[in-house]
Amino acid sequence: MKRAWMILLTLAAVTGAATGCSTAAEETSTPPTGTEATLPPETPAPGDHTLAFRSAEGAKLEFLLHAPPGYAPGKAYPLVVALHGSEAAETLPVRTGLNEVADANGFLVAYPKEFPDARAVGALLDHLVPVWGVDTRRVHATGFSRGATLAYDVAERLADRFASVAPVSGSNPDTSVPSRPLSLITFQGGDDRLSQAWPVTNTGWDKALGCGNEQVRSITMEGGPTHVYTTTCPGGTEHVVYSVARMGHAWPADASRLMWEFFTRHPLP
């Protein structure tokens, strides 16, 4: 009987090898997948990059990054985090022209792909600051449409990490306000489908932060009249609203240049 069992065990081992069944040793050598999979290392350099990292919870977060021509590791660079709306992140550099402004002024632009909330944006900063040499006093956020709403949320939840924000064609439905005074510039169209939300968004911000002393000037933007409302807020911060009468749900041609000029005036204290 013992001899019969030995023969059966031998036949089973041979059959397994012939059919390609994996052994325990083979299973342990399988490359890790999911949250354990290793991502390729980043090589900071000028130009456009498609990258990914893992958050502290192990989630894979993908983003685009543009570095200006003069970028060199070892230096500290300002950063603009640009949050897309319902369209893909890849369309935002074309829509905004931010890469061209970055090349002319020497800053980094990061375009998160699918970032659900401000916490994920904070994880992006945790990754970018040491790897790409980000100047932590000059980190700013902008966003278009739904991304603009997220920019308001970033201002509320990450006020200690962002110097200023610039929502474009987006509302602040929850009237989010930062835990400290933080400068904000926004661009809003009179023909936007969200235009009824502008008064609540703007007055809510001013009231919550204690802004006042409003000044108004008129310019032409997007081929029509535009009123620029500026209120001064505590701590030397500002709230600037470009009310573009003839603009719909769009990103004005001059918005990227104007927000960068605003950002340079408002670093973290």
Side-chain angles (χ1 to χ4, degrees):
M1 181 65 72
K2 182 176 181 180
R3 178 181 176 84
W5 276 108
M6 292 295 292
I7 292 171
L8 287 173
L9 289 172
T10 302
L11 288 172
V14 172
T15 302
T19 57
C21 295
S22 61
T23 64
E26 290 171 335
E27 290 174 358
T28 56
S29 65
T30 302
T33 57
T35 59
E36 297 180 359
T38 302
L39 296 172
E42 292 180 26
T43 304
D48 297 316
H49 307 265
T50 301
L51 304 167
F53 70 100
R54 294 202 181 279
S55 67
E57 293 77 16
K60 181 181 178 182
L61 299 173
E62 299 179 320
F63 64 100
L64 310 175
L65 188 132
H66 178 81
Y71 176 85
K75 296 183 179 180
Y77 290 87
L79 169 69
V80 175
V81 178
L83 306 163
H84 68 88
S86 57
E87 58 197 354
E90 287 81 359
T91 67
L92 206 53
V94 178
R95 176 186 287 276
T96 66
L98 270 170
N99 290 357
E100 289 73 21
V101 179
D103 289 348
N105 295 279
F107 63 90
L108 302 166
V109 190
Y111 303 90
K113 286 195 173 183
E114 294 300 332
F115 278 42
D117 52 33
R119 184 177 182 181
V121 175
L124 175 65
L125 292 188
D126 293 338
H127 174 76
L128 290 178
V129 168
V131 175
W132 285 85
V134 173
D135 183 344
T136 56
R137 291 190 63 239
R138 296 185 292 169
V139 177
H140 314 274
T142 186
F144 175 69
S145 189
R146 185 180 63 183
T149 299
L150 179 53
Y152 278 108
D153 197 43
V154 163
E156 176 188 18
R157 301 179 187 278
L158 300 175
D160 58 333
R161 307 191 68 181
F162 280 85
S164 46
V165 296
V168 179
S169 295
S171 64
N172 184 17
D174 299 326
T175 318
S176 300
V177 293
S179 56
R180 67 159 187 89
L182 181 148
S183 291
L184 183 144
I185 182 172
T186 186
F187 300 84
Q188 302 167 344
D191 291 334
D192 195 318
R193 63 178 182 269
L194 301 177
S195 61
Q196 291 184 347
W198 303 150
V200 173
T201 293
N202 298 334
T203 58
W205 183 275
D206 281 343
K207 183 177 179 180
L209 269 72
C211 306
N213 189 30
E214 182 180 82
Q215 298 181 1
V216 185
R217 60 188 177 92
S218 297
I219 63 172
T220 299
M221 182 178 284
E222 299 297 290
T226 296
H227 297 300
V228 184
Y229 301 89
T230 301
T231 55
T232 55
C233 310
T237 59
E238 290 182 305
H239 180 204
V240 178
V241 177
Y242 279 76
S243 180
V244 190
R246 296 180 185 174
M247 186 177 77
H249 199 64
W251 184 287
D254 292 332
S256 295
R257 176 184 59 82
L258 291 168
M259 70 174 63
W260 174 248
E261 293 173 356
F262 182 83
F263 290 160
T264 58
R265 298 197 304 270
H266 297 287
L268 274 173

